[in-house]
Amino acid sequence: MHITRSKSLFEKAKNFIPGGVNSPVRAFRAVGGDPIFIKKADGAFIYDEDDNEFIELINSWGPMILGHNHPMIKEAVIKAMENGTSFGAPTAREIEIAELITNMVPSVEKIRMVNSGTEATMSAIRVARGFTGKDKFIKMEGHYHGHGDSFLISAGSGAITMGAPDSPGVTKGTAKDTLLAPYNDLQAIENLVAANKNEIAAIILEPVPGNMGLVLPKERYLEGLRKICDREGIVLIFDEVMTGFRLAKGGAQELFGVTPDMTTLGKIIGGGLPVGAYGGKKEIMEHVSPAGPVYQAGTLSGNPIAMAAGLTMLQYLNSHPETYLELNQIGSKLITGISNSLSKLGLKYTINHIGSMYSLFFTDKEVFDFTSAKNSDTSLFGKYFQAMLKRGIYLAPSQFESLFLSIALTDDLIAKIIQANEESLKEIL
Ligand SMILES: *Cc1c(COP(=O)(O)O)cnc(C)c1O
């Protein structure tokens, strides 16, 4: 595999862009080697600047659930472009997409469009604070909610201690209002709630976290959080930027039957264009400006081109529920094949899998929270990543990411991935 052009582009990029990339994981730091610069994508394939072809399992970190460059979405974008690219004024299409989302995700009664998942979670926390009049919130270790200051907090020394900033530039003042709990541990939440009685505005979490690798909720965990929030008057926020419209048309909340007070959305919602959104119960969302006093605004929010792409995507998913069955089948076939090779070759592994998301961890211990995720052999993962890449399979360049499948994966392509997986495992053994 030649990557000469990608290599020289990366060298040049580093002169003008910090680390050569516009988002850190793209730099391949976690797996070694140089990043590949992409020229185009179509269906299940991406093509790099050296004209290598890859089957890829990232799908732009989720949005491309129908595969890349889908003709329907492309057409919607081109058609919308003919009427101008931005107005900064309300449009009919914004009502259409808002109404559709409230139908697909019933816990969302009112919704506000923004431009990224980061904006969605930052705004949701502000609204939860404005609504409850409380300052603190609980987040789970290893969950990612974008790069807003108050979310960049690492594990503190004990469950009840204040968080410490995870990045320079996040102040201690900001960090002190973020309380941390391990995922899948209801007792830790009870302890935090008891130690911060009547001070907690919200609990925010990825109901099915995908940003420490994929991890699944234990039985009755999400229900348990719902009960605590009801009892304590805490706003329960499901960050479904990743899981929304992916695990089901109504997201993880539909699949697990647990209803949050607020939901944040992103990724699939924009059909590949930059869109995020936050919504929830009417009584909470009525606090958002100009209906209420909590300020939040956006020059390009509800952008007509982005709304055209998002609306087309969501309309398709809403009217084709069989898409999710298809994705489940694709996921099962792939995971079965991959697991067979891993077992046959005697590797220590754990695969966490749900629908069209999965992660392979090189550990034989259960992975159920951030600490157990960190048990896995990341240097072996780096070798596995490179071995797969060499064979034309582009995985997420980090152990601590989920993979995302699309309906563009045919049986033939699944067989190719399974074969590349077996060869790669033999190479790294
Ligand atoms: C990707 C992601 C975000 C951040 O979204 P951006 O559009 O990258 O700002 C927030 N929460 C979750 C769960 C995500 O996966």
Side-chain angles (χ1 to χ4, degrees), residues 23 61 115-121 143-147 205-211 239-243 264-267 274-276 401 404:
S23 196
W61 304 98
N115 304 285
S116 68
T118 294
E119 264 187 83
T121 55
H143 289 215
Y144 182 66
H145 303 294
H147 64 86
L205 75 156
E206 300 178 63
V208 179
N211 284 291
D239 181 355
E240 297 228 41
V241 169
M242 203 176 250
T243 50
T264 54
L265 296 162
K267 299 195 167 112
V275 180
E401 301 286 356
F404 300 96

Side-chain angles (χ1 to χ4, degrees), residues 193-314:
V193 167
N196 298 274
K197 200 78 188 158
N198 295 323
E199 293 184 280
I200 299 174
I203 296 178
I204 185 169
L205 75 156
E206 300 178 63
V208 179
N211 284 291
M212 48 184 173
L214 181 71
V215 176
L216 303 183
K218 288 190 174 163
E219 212 163 316
R220 310 219 59 78
Y221 174 69
L222 297 174
E223 289 89 335
L225 291 177
R226 178 68 274 174
K227 277 195 193 122
I228 294 171
C229 287
D230 285 342
R231 193 187 71 210
E232 303 288 333
I234 295 171
V235 176
L236 181 61
I237 307 173
F238 278 4
D239 181 355
E240 297 228 41
V241 169
M242 203 176 250
T243 50
F245 314 110
R246 176 164 284 279
L247 294 186
K249 80 185 161 91
Q253 54 194 270
E254 177 186 318
L255 198 62
F256 289 93
V258 176
T259 307
D261 302 303
M262 295 186 79
T263 300
T264 54
L265 296 162
K267 299 195 167 112
I268 290 176
I269 202 176
L273 274 79
V275 180
Y278 65 99
K281 286 185 180 155
K282 262 189 201 141
E283 63 193 277
I284 299 176
M285 291 304 287
E286 285 301 324
H287 280 66
V288 178
S289 183
V294 179
Y295 194 70
Q296 187 274 312
T299 302
L300 294 176
S301 294
N303 172 271
I305 312 302
M307 292 301 103
L311 183 60
T312 305
M313 172 69 92
L314 298 187

